[in-house]
């Protein structure tokens, strides 16, 4: 059943939406070059100054497999100096979860693929094996970090093909039983459609015991924001996004680009949702990426076209506001 766009998961009015910046992890792992640690810190600082208060900044995987994440501890240590910033990391196994806990992160995402083919390619375990491992991870992290069951290939898989909705619901139920604090649904391969999103959100909600809170979309086929809108209509209030649309999955061929953070915040603000993010300041953060990753494609409609005129004060209005502010200060 579709919910009112202004009603949260608990059935109460909720105009607040959490936008989690995942570019430092999901974005950077998808490009060939490695961003310098100091540039990652600048990215975190600039995003924080723009009002971003949730960031997924690293993953704990062997450096030989993902050299882009070799500085995970240093990046996390810096992120933790930002007051009020919720710091998240991804960890695919027990060793990674222990490192994440030791680093002091607040939340740990464990990727659990619904597709067996993708699961074997990504973590060399079947989905059932991952649930068993996840139960151990949750026990290890109890009282020290929030555990997120990041269900991936929820909406289709480039390796397996169709992913039955009943399989998604079954895995979500198992993840909750294993100790998940949060269930997040991921469109790893960029195949989600609006109808699918609504159907799967409701199917998973029925078994997730109130723990379905987050959606992660890719914009491979241009439906990222549309799918987000459907998620909003079904009561979801937390979404992943990446500055300049960076991102993808190494084990999901063709799954280019996370939802663009700037475009997402623009859409949310246009619908009167609150994010706490200064949109102009967020767009300006792109300069950090441009300097750190010269030549890397940066995507986004808003950065190219700018805000529509009806969403900006007129020059005369801005001048009057400035004059009024000055007069009140002087008096």
């Amino acid at each position: 059943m579709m919910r009112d766009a202004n009603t949260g998961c608990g059935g109460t009015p909720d105009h607040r939406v959490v936008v989690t910046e995942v570019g430092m992890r999901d974005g950077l792992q998808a490009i060939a070059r490695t961003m310098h640690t100091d540039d990652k810190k600048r990215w975190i600082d600039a995003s924080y100054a723009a009002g971003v208060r949730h960031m997924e900044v690293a993953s704990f995987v062997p450096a030989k497999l993902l050299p882009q994440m070799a500085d995970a501890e240093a990046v996390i240590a810096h992120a933790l100096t930002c007051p009020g910033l919720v710091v998240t990391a991804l960890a695919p196994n027990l060793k990674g979860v222990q490192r994440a806990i030791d680093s002091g992160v607040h939340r740990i995402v464990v990727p659990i693929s619904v597709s067996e083919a993708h699961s074997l390619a990504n973590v060399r375990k079947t989905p059932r094996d991952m649930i068993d491992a996840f139960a151990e991870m949750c026990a290890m992290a109890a009282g020290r970090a929030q555990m997120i069951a990041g269900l991936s290939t929820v909406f289709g898989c480039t390796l397996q093909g169709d992913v039955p909705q009943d399989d998604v619901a079954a895995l979500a139920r198992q993840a909750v039983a294993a100790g998940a604090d949060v269930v997040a649904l991921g469109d790893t391969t960029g195949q989600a459609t609006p109808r699918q999103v609504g159907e799967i959100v409701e199917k998973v909600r029925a078994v997730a015991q109130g723990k379905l809170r987050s959606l992660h979309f890719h914009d491979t086929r241009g439906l990222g924001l549309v799918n987000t809108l459907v998620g909003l209509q079904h009561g979801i209030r937390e979404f992943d996004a990446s500055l300049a649309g960076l991102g993808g999955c190494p084990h999901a061929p063709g799954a280019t680009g996370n939802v663009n953070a700037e475009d997402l915040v623009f859409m949310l603000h246009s619908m009167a949702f609150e994010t706490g993010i200064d949109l102009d300041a967020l767009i300006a953060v792109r300069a950090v990426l441009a300097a750190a990753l010269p030549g890397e494609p940066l995507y986004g409609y808003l950065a190219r076209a700018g805000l529509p005129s009806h969403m900006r004060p007129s020059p005369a209005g801005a001048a009057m506001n400035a004059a009024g502010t000055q007069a009140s200060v002087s008096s």
Side-chain angles (χ1 to χ4, degrees), residues 6-71:
N6 294 323
T7 301
C9 298
T12 57
D14 183 4
H15 295 278
R16 182 78 177 183
V17 174
V18 170
V19 175
T20 300
E21 171 60 71
V22 299
M24 297 101 176
R25 196 278 302 174
D26 197 15
L28 293 181
Q29 76 171 20
I31 62 177
R33 70 181 91 180
T34 299
M35 180 183 276
H36 193 279
T37 304
D38 288 342
D39 290 322
K40 293 182 183 181
K41 293 177 180 179
R42 279 189 277 272
W43 185 356
I44 290 169
D45 291 345
S47 295
Y48 181 80
V52 179
R53 291 297 180 266
H54 286 72
M55 300 183 202
E56 185 178 317
V57 301
S59 64
F60 286 97
V61 296
K64 64 180 180 180
L65 297 179
L66 207 59
Q68 299 95 323
M69 299 290 114
D71 57 357

XYZ file of all heavy atoms in Angstrom, residues 6-71:
500
model
N 4.386 12.506 2.798
C 4.814 13.252 3.970
C 4.689 12.438 5.257
O 4.681 12.971 6.349
C 3.990 14.539 4.115
C 4.269 15.502 2.981
O 5.406 15.608 2.536
N 3.245 16.171 2.499
N 4.560 11.125 5.112
C 4.426 10.262 6.267
C 5.611 9.320 6.339
O 5.952 8.664 5.365
C 3.132 9.436 6.186
O 2.039 10.338 6.109
C 2.970 8.556 7.405
N 6.236 9.250 7.488
C 7.402 8.409 7.659
C 7.036 6.958 7.894
O 5.874 6.569 7.918
N 8.087 6.136 8.102
C 7.879 4.699 8.256
C 7.017 4.379 9.463
O 6.319 3.376 9.487
C 9.234 4.001 8.382
S 10.271 4.188 6.929
N 7.068 5.222 10.488
C 6.290 4.948 11.682
C 4.875 5.455 11.602
O 4.112 5.334 12.558
N 4.483 6.063 10.458
C 3.123 6.530 10.287
C 2.891 7.937 10.812
O 1.761 8.407 10.858
N 3.931 8.633 11.222
C 3.796 10.001 11.720
C 4.364 10.967 10.697
O 5.226 10.608 9.902
C 4.545 10.172 13.052
O 5.919 9.807 12.858
C 3.943 9.286 14.118
N 3.875 12.235 10.686
C 4.404 13.216 9.733
C 5.925 13.314 9.850
O 6.468 13.399 10.938
C 3.716 14.514 10.156
C 2.441 14.059 10.795
C 2.799 12.788 11.521
N 6.597 13.283 8.734
C 8.060 13.274 8.751
C 8.576 13.975 7.503
O 8.544 13.410 6.416
C 8.572 11.836 8.807
C 10.084 11.758 8.900
O 10.745 12.805 9.004
O 10.598 10.626 8.852
N 9.070 15.193 7.676
C 9.602 15.959 6.541
C 11.122 15.924 6.497
O 11.723 16.631 5.700
C 9.115 17.414 6.626
C 7.635 17.546 6.473
N 7.008 17.568 5.247
C 6.644 17.637 7.389
C 5.698 17.686 5.410
N 5.454 17.729 6.705
N 11.712 15.119 7.344
C 13.164 15.036 7.407
C 13.645 13.813 6.638
O 13.155 12.702 6.845
C 13.624 14.929 8.865
C 15.122 14.884 9.047
C 15.722 16.265 8.904
N 17.155 16.259 9.147
C 17.915 17.334 9.149
N 17.363 18.524 8.928
N 19.197 17.274 9.363
N 14.584 14.009 5.723
C 15.160 12.915 4.956
C 16.669 12.901 5.167
O 17.331 13.933 5.088
C 14.844 13.051 3.451
C 15.570 11.980 2.646
C 13.341 12.960 3.216
N 17.188 11.734 5.457
C 18.638 11.565 5.609
C 19.237 11.220 4.255
O 18.812 10.254 3.604
C 18.958 10.447 6.620
C 20.448 10.111 6.599
C 18.525 10.860 8.021
N 20.206 12.010 3.823
C 20.969 11.715 2.614
C 22.369 11.299 3.057
O 23.101 12.091 3.659
C 21.043 12.933 1.678
C 21.945 12.626 0.486
C 19.647 13.330 1.205
N 22.720 10.056 2.798
C 24.037 9.543 3.163
C 24.975 9.638 1.975
O 24.706 9.050 0.916
C 23.947 8.082 3.639
O 23.097 8.011 4.781
C 25.330 7.546 4.005
N 26.048 10.372 2.138
C 27.063 10.491 1.088
C 27.905 9.219 1.081
O 28.579 8.904 2.063
C 27.951 11.709 1.357
C 29.179 11.821 0.454
C 28.836 11.915 -1.021
O 28.316 12.968 -1.437
O 29.114 10.925 -1.745
N 27.851 8.476 -0.035
C 28.595 7.215 -0.127
C 29.731 7.285 -1.150
O 30.374 6.281 -1.439
C 27.659 6.036 -0.475
C 26.606 5.845 0.609
C 27.005 6.217 -1.840
N 29.973 8.479 -1.678
C 30.991 8.604 -2.717
C 32.387 8.231 -2.263
O 33.185 7.687 -3.038
N 32.721 8.531 -0.987
C 34.066 8.221 -0.496
C 34.344 6.723 -0.495
O 35.491 6.300 -0.497
C 34.283 8.765 0.919
C 34.200 10.274 1.033
S 32.574 10.730 1.684
C 32.754 12.512 1.844
N 33.273 5.924 -0.474
C 33.444 4.471 -0.536
C 32.964 3.918 -1.871
O 33.747 3.483 -2.700
C 32.689 3.815 0.639
C 33.090 2.367 0.915
C 32.418 1.348 0.024
N 30.960 1.379 0.096
C 30.189 0.647 -0.695
N 30.710 -0.143 -1.630
N 28.872 0.742 -0.612
N 31.681 3.980 -2.119
C 31.120 3.366 -3.316
C 31.552 4.096 -4.590
O 31.703 3.480 -5.644
C 29.598 3.346 -3.217
C 28.960 2.372 -4.194
O 29.677 1.529 -4.729
O 27.743 2.452 -4.401
N 31.746 5.401 -4.476
C 32.186 6.152 -5.646
C 33.627 5.866 -6.004
O 33.957 5.542 -7.148
N 34.500 5.942 -5.019
C 35.932 5.804 -5.283
C 36.340 4.378 -5.631
O 37.321 4.166 -6.348
C 36.737 6.300 -4.078
C 36.641 7.806 -3.814
C 37.491 8.188 -2.600
C 37.076 8.620 -5.036
N 35.604 3.385 -5.137
C 35.986 2.009 -5.452
C 35.716 1.665 -6.916
O 36.232 0.676 -7.430
C 35.230 1.029 -4.563
C 33.777 0.812 -4.944
C 33.126 -0.320 -4.170
O 33.608 -0.720 -3.113
N 32.029 -0.834 -4.688
N 34.927 2.503 -7.581
C 34.520 2.204 -8.947
C 35.424 2.842 -9.998
O 35.240 2.619 -11.189
C 33.083 2.665 -9.174
N 36.388 3.659 -9.550
C 37.283 4.291 -10.516
C 38.689 3.707 -10.365
O 39.052 3.192 -9.302
C 37.317 5.823 -10.354
C 37.834 6.224 -8.977
C 35.919 6.395 -10.578
C 37.953 7.725 -8.794
N 39.475 3.785 -11.431
C 40.770 3.108 -11.450
C 41.797 3.769 -10.538
O 42.589 3.094 -9.886
C 41.300 3.061 -12.886
N 41.787 5.077 -10.484
C 42.814 5.757 -9.701
C 42.465 5.812 -8.220
O 41.324 5.585 -7.833
C 43.051 7.165 -10.248
C 41.904 8.117 -9.993
C 42.202 9.490 -10.585
N 41.718 9.592 -11.944
C 41.844 10.672 -12.683
N 42.469 11.736 -12.212
N 41.364 10.708 -13.902
N 43.459 6.105 -7.408
C 43.277 6.183 -5.962
C 43.379 7.626 -5.503
O 44.379 8.300 -5.782
C 44.341 5.332 -5.235
O 44.192 3.960 -5.630
C 44.192 5.434 -3.730
N 42.357 8.104 -4.813
C 42.383 9.469 -4.296
C 43.299 9.535 -3.082
O 43.261 8.669 -2.208
C 40.974 9.926 -3.928
C 40.919 11.357 -3.385
S 39.258 11.889 -2.858
C 38.560 12.418 -4.426
N 44.118 10.579 -3.014
C 45.025 10.764 -1.890
C 44.221 10.960 -0.602
O 43.147 11.571 -0.599
C 45.927 11.977 -2.146
C 47.087 12.067 -1.205
N 46.977 12.580 0.071
C 48.391 11.687 -1.357
C 48.152 12.533 0.665
N 49.023 11.987 -0.174
N 44.760 10.461 0.488
C 44.076 10.561 1.778
C 43.736 12.007 2.138
O 42.643 12.295 2.643
C 44.942 9.945 2.887
O 45.259 8.593 2.545
C 44.212 9.967 4.228
N 44.653 12.921 1.886
C 44.386 14.330 2.208
C 43.210 14.876 1.409
O 42.441 15.705 1.917
C 45.632 15.178 1.951
C 46.732 14.930 2.974
O 46.425 14.372 4.051
O 47.897 15.277 2.697
N 43.068 14.413 0.159
C 41.935 14.864 -0.649
C 40.628 14.289 -0.123
O 39.586 14.962 -0.139
C 42.133 14.455 -2.111
C 43.249 15.241 -2.784
O 43.375 16.449 -2.503
O 44.001 14.640 -3.579
N 40.669 13.054 0.370
C 39.466 12.470 0.988
C 39.065 13.290 2.213
O 37.875 13.542 2.450
C 39.723 11.022 1.385
C 39.924 10.067 0.226
C 40.122 8.647 0.733
C 40.400 7.679 -0.404
N 40.579 6.292 0.071
N 40.052 13.696 2.986
C 39.757 14.507 4.170
C 39.142 15.845 3.768
O 38.203 16.327 4.415
C 41.036 14.725 4.979
C 41.592 13.459 5.619
C 42.903 13.742 6.354
C 43.471 12.487 6.996
N 44.754 12.750 7.698
N 39.656 16.436 2.700
C 39.083 17.701 2.227
C 37.643 17.495 1.767
O 36.774 18.360 1.992
C 39.943 18.273 1.090
C 41.178 19.027 1.568
C 41.861 19.752 0.427
N 42.727 18.838 -0.305
C 44.006 18.608 0.015
N 44.544 19.213 1.056
N 44.740 17.769 -0.697
N 37.387 16.382 1.118
C 36.035 16.056 0.671
C 35.096 15.926 1.876
O 33.998 16.494 1.888
C 36.073 14.756 -0.125
C 34.784 14.349 -0.762
C 33.564 14.958 -0.649
C 34.586 13.222 -1.628
N 32.621 14.278 -1.381
C 33.217 13.215 -1.988
C 35.432 12.237 -2.122
C 32.690 12.236 -2.825
C 34.899 11.261 -2.956
C 33.539 11.266 -3.305
N 35.530 15.229 2.888
C 34.721 15.077 4.099
C 34.450 16.436 4.736
O 33.305 16.758 5.094
C 35.425 14.137 5.104
C 35.415 12.705 4.574
C 34.761 14.213 6.485
C 36.299 11.751 5.351
N 35.493 17.244 4.876
C 35.330 18.554 5.525
C 34.375 19.454 4.753
O 33.522 20.138 5.340
C 36.696 19.241 5.650
C 37.610 18.554 6.655
O 37.114 17.734 7.446
O 38.830 18.830 6.632
N 34.515 19.461 3.428
C 33.656 20.322 2.609
C 32.206 19.853 2.642
O 31.272 20.668 2.707
C 34.172 20.360 1.168
N 31.999 18.540 2.606
C 30.636 18.003 2.674
C 30.019 18.289 4.035
O 28.831 18.641 4.138
C 30.648 16.489 2.411
O 31.063 16.211 1.090
N 30.813 18.144 5.074
C 30.329 18.432 6.425
C 29.945 19.905 6.536
O 28.900 20.246 7.101
C 31.411 18.079 7.443
C 31.001 18.307 8.880
C 30.206 17.393 9.555
C 31.414 19.451 9.564
C 29.820 17.604 10.875
C 31.028 19.675 10.875
C 30.233 18.748 11.529
O 29.861 18.967 12.832
N 30.780 20.796 5.993
C 30.475 22.229 6.033
C 29.193 22.540 5.269
O 28.488 23.505 5.590
C 31.643 23.024 5.450
N 28.879 21.710 4.262
C 27.644 21.906 3.484
C 26.418 21.357 4.209
O 25.291 21.520 3.720
C 27.777 21.246 2.118
N 26.618 20.693 5.337
C 25.491 20.193 6.110
C 25.261 18.702 6.046
O 24.312 18.192 6.652
N 26.114 17.976 5.323
C 25.961 16.519 5.249
C 26.348 15.927 6.604
O 27.435 16.194 7.111
C 26.846 15.921 4.138
C 26.692 14.402 4.100
C 26.495 16.536 2.786
N 25.462 15.113 7.186
C 25.709 14.562 8.520
C 25.730 13.040 8.560
O 25.858 12.450 9.630
C 24.668 15.094 9.509
C 24.817 16.584 9.819
C 26.151 16.886 10.492
N 26.329 18.298 10.794
C 26.954 19.170 9.992
N 27.418 18.758 8.811
N 27.081 20.436 10.347
N 25.642 12.414 7.403
C 25.789 10.958 7.310
C 26.723 10.667 6.132
O 26.435 11.081 5.003
C 24.444 10.265 7.077
C 23.558 10.231 8.277
N 22.924 11.357 8.761
C 23.194 9.205 9.096
C 22.208 11.025 9.828
N 22.362 9.739 10.050
N 27.812 9.972 6.394
C 28.763 9.637 5.331
C 29.264 8.212 5.494
O 29.600 7.778 6.593
C 29.970 10.575 5.346
C 29.679 12.032 5.161
S 31.221 13.007 5.111
C 30.586 14.635 5.569
N 29.300 7.498 4.381
C 29.952 6.187 4.317
C 31.318 6.426 3.692
O 31.417 6.717 2.496
C 29.119 5.214 3.481
C 29.654 3.800 3.460
C 28.765 2.863 2.669
O 27.527 2.949 2.821
O 29.308 2.068 1.881
N 32.364 6.347 4.505
C 33.651 6.906 4.091
C 34.698 5.884 3.688
O 35.749 6.258 3.139
C 34.235 7.814 5.195
C 33.283 8.960 5.513
C 34.553 7.025 6.458
N 34.478 4.597 3.947
C 35.526 3.614 3.656
C 34.951 2.211 3.672
O 33.814 1.982 4.102
C 36.652 3.723 4.685
N 35.744 1.255 3.206
C 35.402 -0.154 3.359
C 36.632 -0.902 3.829
O 37.768 -0.522 3.518
C 34.876 -0.745 2.044
O 35.872 -0.728 1.053
N 36.390 -1.963 4.581
C 37.484 -2.754 5.129
C 37.625 -4.043 4.340
O 37.036 -5.072 4.658
C 37.237 -3.029 6.615
C 37.457 -1.820 7.472
C 36.393 -1.022 7.854
C 38.737 -1.451 7.868
C 36.586 0.103 8.638
C 38.948 -0.321 8.643
C 37.876 0.454 9.033
N 38.400 -3.947 3.274
C 38.720 -5.075 2.413
C 40.230 -5.071 2.210
O 40.891 -4.046 2.419
C 38.000 -4.970 1.054
C 36.497 -5.053 1.225
C 38.372 -3.670 0.351
N 40.824 -6.207 1.826
C 42.275 -6.244 1.622
C 42.730 -5.192 0.612
O 42.123 -5.025 -0.449
C 42.525 -7.660 1.103
C 41.382 -8.461 1.665
C 40.205 -7.528 1.642
N 43.805 -4.479 0.954
C 44.306 -3.406 0.087
C 44.709 -3.937 -1.290
O 44.618 -3.218 -2.288
C 45.484 -2.710 0.757
N 45.136 -5.191 -1.360
C 45.539 -5.740 -2.658
C 44.341 -5.902 -3.588
O 44.488 -5.901 -4.814
C 46.259 -7.076 -2.475
C 45.397 -8.180 -1.892
C 46.189 -9.470 -1.736
C 45.320 -10.594 -1.152
N 46.090 -11.848 -0.987
N 43.155 -6.047 -3.002
C 41.947 -6.163 -3.809
C 41.346 -4.807 -4.136
O 40.765 -4.621 -5.208
C 40.899 -7.016 -3.068
C 41.267 -8.468 -2.794
C 40.148 -9.159 -2.028
C 41.557 -9.212 -4.096
N 41.449 -3.862 -3.211
C 40.852 -2.549 -3.392
C 41.790 -1.491 -2.818
O 41.573 -0.969 -1.726
C 39.491 -2.502 -2.700
C 38.442 -1.525 -3.253
C 38.138 -1.815 -4.714
C 37.159 -1.610 -2.434
N 42.840 -1.158 -3.550
C 43.824 -0.195 -3.036
C 43.230 1.175 -2.743
O 43.786 1.929 -1.944
C 44.874 -0.132 -4.151
C 44.188 -0.654 -5.381
C 43.211 -1.665 -4.891
N 42.090 1.485 -3.370
C 41.441 2.781 -3.108
C 41.017 2.934 -1.643
O 40.819 4.038 -1.159
C 40.205 2.939 -4.004
C 40.494 2.921 -5.498
C 40.306 1.539 -6.092
O 40.629 0.530 -5.449
N 39.782 1.475 -7.313
N 40.881 1.811 -0.927
C 40.406 1.832 0.460
C 41.506 1.482 1.464
O 41.235 1.193 2.629
C 39.243 0.854 0.633
C 38.024 1.163 -0.213
S 37.138 2.667 0.312
C 37.420 3.710 -1.140
N 42.754 1.507 1.029
C 43.861 1.108 1.901
C 44.032 2.025 3.106
O 44.621 1.629 4.120
C 45.161 1.049 1.096
N 43.532 3.248 3.021
C 43.697 4.225 4.101
C 42.443 4.341 4.960
O 42.189 5.383 5.577
C 44.058 5.590 3.522
C 43.020 6.100 2.508
O 42.054 5.361 2.225
O 43.184 7.224 2.007
